[in-house]
Amino acid sequence: MAHLLRGKQAGVQKDLSSGLTAELFAIDDLARYGVNSQLATLAYDPVQSLLAVGTSDSQFGAGLIYVYGQKRVCMTLSTPRRASIRQLQFSADKLISCDSKNDVCVFSLETGRLVASYAPPGQVTAVLTDPSLDYCFIGMQNGDIVTYDLDRETLTSFRISNLLRQVNPRSKLVPVVSMQLHPRDIGTLLIGYTEGAALFSFKQNKATKFFQYEIPPGAPGGDPDVASTHEVRRPRLSHAVWHPTGTFILTAHDDSSLVFWDPRDGRIVEARTIQTTNIHVPGGGATTMDSSPGIKSMKQPYFDIAWCSKENPDDTGLLIAGGTPTSGPTPGLTFFDLGPTPNYQTSSWDVLANYFRVPRRTHILPTPPNAETVKILLIPRSTPHYAGSNDPIAVITLLSSGELITLSFPSGHAITPTNQLHVSLTFVHPFVTRIALACVDRTRWLGTRESRQHGPNFLLGGAEETKPLKRHENRNIVQAAHADGTVRVWDAAHGDEIENSAVLQIDLARAVGRFEDIDVTQMSMSGATGELSIGLQSGEVAIFRLNKNPQSGREPPPPKPNAPPGRLTNIVDRADPALEEGLLPLALLNEQQGPVTALKHSDVGFVAVGFQGSIAVIDLRGPAIIHTQLLSDLAPKNKKASIRRSNSHVSGGKEVPTAVEFGVMTLDGDDYSSILLFVGTSLGHLATFKILPASNGTYSVAFAGVASLGDPVISISPINADSGFPAYATQSAVGSLKTGNRINGVLVVTTTTGVQVFKPASARGAHKSFDNFLCDSAGMTSFRDRGVALVGLFGDGHARAYSIPALKEIGSAKMSHLLDVKRFREAIITPTGDVLGWTGPSELALLNVWGTGQSLPRSQDRLYNPSAAIPPRPTISNLQWISGTQYITPSDMDILIGGPDRAPSKRMLAEMREAESAARAAARSGRPPPPGPNGEQEGYWAYMQRQVQERTDRLGLMDDHMTRLEETSTGWANDVGKFVQKQKRQMVLGAIGSKLGF
């Protein structure tokens, strides 16, 4: 009886929710976008072309590891215990992590699962892996280093005790702060302790050199303190890195000192800061960079340092995060372009020192103010060796706020993450401040792409899983506004296949004409035309349309002043010059009526904008403003008091629009249907306007009436009273008005305290109050052909569905464990029952209320490409070998660390089996055997044997050359001796003959 009574009140003659039951109302967890917590670390693998990021443990979730590849490839990994991820390193087909609980975890890139975990007895301070080794070196707080066998998944017996105790036996707690293998000699390990650095030889199993930085009395040091300049100082070491060819060693210290060492004899070549050189010499300290004279300011510590190189590893540079004065004018990364390394054998000591004193160029890579750079990640072009810093094309910086900044290297130009990084990483590049969602026709979205000038892509790895495609549903297109004034548009899907994974980018700041105070408050996109409107806190509304940019590649002229209120500004010439085709600026509205509080871009060419106290309607056929209206003028004078009394419980304040919607239906009392505009306000008023064609081909807007609902309006849904289908202002619905088609429609309007179903423009109809909770978000949904229902998110953490028109509760489900209840107001409910809401500051969840209760499915994306071969590790030169350097191969390391009885690793056996299988297949088909690692027609072991034989042959050839040189020199000396003796004999005989008169 309730549905009959309320249906009669609302003008709905049938139960539109008859096929929906409580069993159908169950939450399906479909997908996640973004990262669950603040970013803590990141790593890159140039061979597999994958990027991994780790998050911190927080109230929003445990620390997780996200591995990203091309397009939408993503794999989420979790550690055995809840903790923050502190370090990540790729090693061949594995990913190694170390967390705040000191667990070292090994994940397989091939399976995407945890394969081993080790919890050492103590605190882990450093982790080191190498793609050519099957071992992980774990540095401990007590200064010891233990070795974990990644292939056998067990701890080895090889251990390096605290080496600094050999220098200072009284040292008790000297933790390991960094470790790095020699770039060309894998048998030498550089270990950084807090009190100094040491070189460890695996061949000799002992320390070969120690590097302890000591500032003598009278030397300024890195951060000079007048009171301590007369004392010996030993600043704490924070970083120790190799020169890309191993020619020098750099140690960084807490007093801002950068100390360059000669690893052969352990002497200091040069000590400097970013601004000053010769700081280790009494009376030294020459300033080399601009600084404010007479002003002493604190310096930042060194957060991260990378000694990088071009394709030629001898042409190097230093990229430094930190070490600059806190009062510096330009925050950013410091890059010292050192240039080609001097020849060590032929260069004087001054030449070597000047190489570090006077860089070829010093450049600042700018970063945002008020945020420190805590980690830098270089993106090498091809090789993972040289500590991942050879020939980098870009650098990703992690800020203390948890945001990412991508810069070109070494120029430092900002790189947009659009279609370069995974869409989830754009949530922190920079932070997303607001989202909106539009249901766009699938065919329309398939043809929506942008063409933009950009550098080479560096995330090309992985392969997406194949998912079912919901072909007959519109696409969930998200518009995400970022803190830097960038808006990105992308497909969030329905948990199904994403046919068009491209991301569209909008440069809102350029379109508005300024680069500050770009705070987006509202966004609305047309699902039929692809046009987009964006409203700002400052009151402007920018409209964008898909088009080609005629000014592509040319910087546009300075923007002209914006038009005054009442007129639109043509902003077509404010397009991004790097954009060839995409969403381009069209028009700008600046009514100067306060922030934009409501916005709707219809499918039929109209845009409705709600300001603080007024509304405006734009017809894009001009484009032109066709109507403006103050909210205070909506109600007649004689009815204003009664309306106010009905809202006596509503908090005072200026009335602002809170919801705007277009529809096509017949108003109460009319005998024809028309385009209608509905405006809901913060004081519970719902105003209705007619949009009617004029005789001159334009449109006019007429006020039709106002209804008082008592509380702030949060949702307006026009529906067909006969079928329950949406009665929005679609192109087909407006087109049918020419034939006299009449749509019997009603409005389903949701406020914070209740819902009302009525025929506009009056407020007579069915009503239901939410007695024990407030509604934060609501929308009309349908489930297949079973009917429609109103779905809302409520302050008690539940989602509820109500029938139409009876407004009876169909079902209820808990949502507080999936979404952040405090941000329910920002959640979006789509007509298909999808819910897009925030789980934390930087993560969205895509849910569906008409599901089966399934949890978030595990990603089936493939990360590992077995055909991507790791390039051979760089080795020492023949001259170094001849001079006495002992060359250690990765196979030797297996013996030195794992013992002589250690069998070949699983990776080696797999490579051998693959090579033998390929050789047998080639022999059966009569083809030559496949090439080896360097392109030769040979197998894996043959390749290794040939490398050793070639080195032996080259050494023997050098010996032959030296022997022949010695024989030639000896013969030449004998010939010279004979010639001298002959000349002497002839001179003596000539003298005797002259005496005798011959």
Side-chain angles (χ1 to χ4, degrees), residues 180-184 188 190 199 211 240-251 259-270 307 313-314 316 318 338-345 347-356 880:
Q180 196 175 97
L181 289 167
H182 192 290
R184 288 183 167 176
T188 302
L190 173 63
L199 285 182
F211 310 93
V241 295
W242 281 105
H243 180 279
T245 61
T247 310
F248 303 100
I249 288 173
L250 168 66
T251 59
V259 187
F260 300 90
W261 303 83
D262 183 352
R264 293 164 179 78
D265 54 16
R267 289 188 297 168
I268 294 178
V269 180
E270 172 62 20
W307 202 333
D314 279 317
T316 73
L318 275 174
L338 299 176
T341 306
N343 189 300
Y344 182 85
Q345 284 76 18
S347 300
S348 65
W349 196 256
D350 286 340
V351 171
L352 297 178
N354 283 330
Y355 178 65
F356 302 111
Q880 289 176 303

Side-chain angles (χ1 to χ4, degrees), residues 484-497:
D484 62 348
T486 300
V487 177
R488 295 187 174 94
V489 183
W490 44 274
D491 186 2
H494 305 273
D496 61 346
E497 183 76 14

Side-chain angles (χ1 to χ4, degrees), residues 631-951:
L631 294 183
S632 58
D633 298 337
L634 292 179
K637 298 289 184 180
N638 58 348
K639 295 183 179 181
K640 199 167 185 179
S642 64
I643 294 175
R644 294 286 184 181
R645 282 195 298 270
S646 67
N647 291 280
S648 59
H649 64 281
V650 179
S651 60
K654 194 170 184 179
E655 186 173 19
V656 299
T658 57
V660 183
E661 188 56 77
F662 289 91
V664 174
M665 64 178 66
T666 304
L667 288 180
D668 192 15
D670 288 350
D671 59 355
Y672 62 92
S673 294
S674 57
I675 304 174
L676 303 176
L677 169 63
F678 308 104
V679 180
T681 72
S682 58
L683 297 184
H685 297 157
L686 188 128
T688 303
F689 298 86
K690 286 184 181 180
I691 302 178
L692 303 172
S695 58
N696 59 357
T698 61
Y699 285 83
S700 62
V701 179
F703 175 64
V706 63
S708 180
L709 307 180
D711 290 289
V713 176
I714 62 174
S715 172
I716 304 173
S717 300
I719 64 171
N720 189 313
D722 300 325
S723 63
F725 294 148
Y728 297 120
T730 62
Q731 295 176 352
S732 59
V734 173
S736 67
L737 295 178
K738 296 180 181 180
T739 62
N741 183 39
R742 295 179 58 181
I743 299 175
N744 178 27
V746 295
L747 284 182
V748 180
V749 182
T750 309
T751 67
T752 55
T753 59
V755 57
Q756 195 153 341
V757 183
F758 63 97
K759 196 172 186 65
S762 67
R764 296 187 301 272
H767 177 265
K768 177 181 178 60
S769 297
F770 308 131
D771 297 327
N772 301 321
F773 32 76
L774 296 177
C775 183
D776 293 319
S777 180
M780 287 296 299
T781 68
S782 63
F783 178 61
R784 298 177 183 173
D785 297 328
R786 296 185 176 228
V788 297
L790 176 71
V791 174
L793 302 181
F794 296 86
D796 63 347
H798 285 71
R800 293 179 174 86
Y802 295 91
S803 63
I804 302 295
L807 300 179
K808 180 182 178 181
E809 183 176 310
I810 298 175
S812 174
K814 184 179 180 181
M815 299 276 280
S816 57
H817 65 294
L818 297 173
L819 300 179
D820 185 359
V821 179
K822 297 179 181 178
R823 303 187 70 175
F824 267 8
R825 287 185 180 273
E826 303 175 56
I828 301 168
I829 301 173
T830 72
T832 58
D834 291 336
V835 179
L836 187 71
W838 293 97
T839 65
S842 301
E843 186 182 46
L844 286 172
L846 182 65
L847 315 171
N848 190 281
V849 297
W850 305 110
T852 58
Q854 72 176 17
S855 58
L856 182 67
R858 187 177 183 274
S859 173
Q860 300 299 319
D861 294 342
R862 297 186 301 276
L863 298 176
Y864 185 67
N865 179 13
S867 62
I870 301 174
R873 197 179 196 278
T875 62
I876 61 176
S877 63
N878 290 332
L879 188 59
Q880 289 176 303
W881 193 350
I882 293 171
S883 63
T885 304
Q886 293 180 324
Y887 173 58
I888 304 297
T889 66
S891 300
D892 297 333
M893 294 289 286
D894 287 341
I895 298 175
L896 294 173
I897 298 176
D901 298 331
R902 187 179 187 271
S905 66
K906 299 174 185 176
R907 183 173 55 175
M908 286 185 178
L909 294 175
E911 291 175 351
M912 292 172 59
R913 285 193 296 267
E914 183 178 353
E916 292 174 358
S917 175
R920 286 195 298 268
R924 285 194 299 267
S925 61
R927 293 181 286 106
N934 277 350
E936 296 83 0
Q937 306 292 329
E938 58 187 357
Y940 181 81
W941 288 110
Y943 163 74
M944 296 293 293
Q945 294 171 357
R946 184 180 58 79
Q947 291 293 310
V948 175
Q949 185 62 39
E950 284 183 359
R951 284 190 167 272

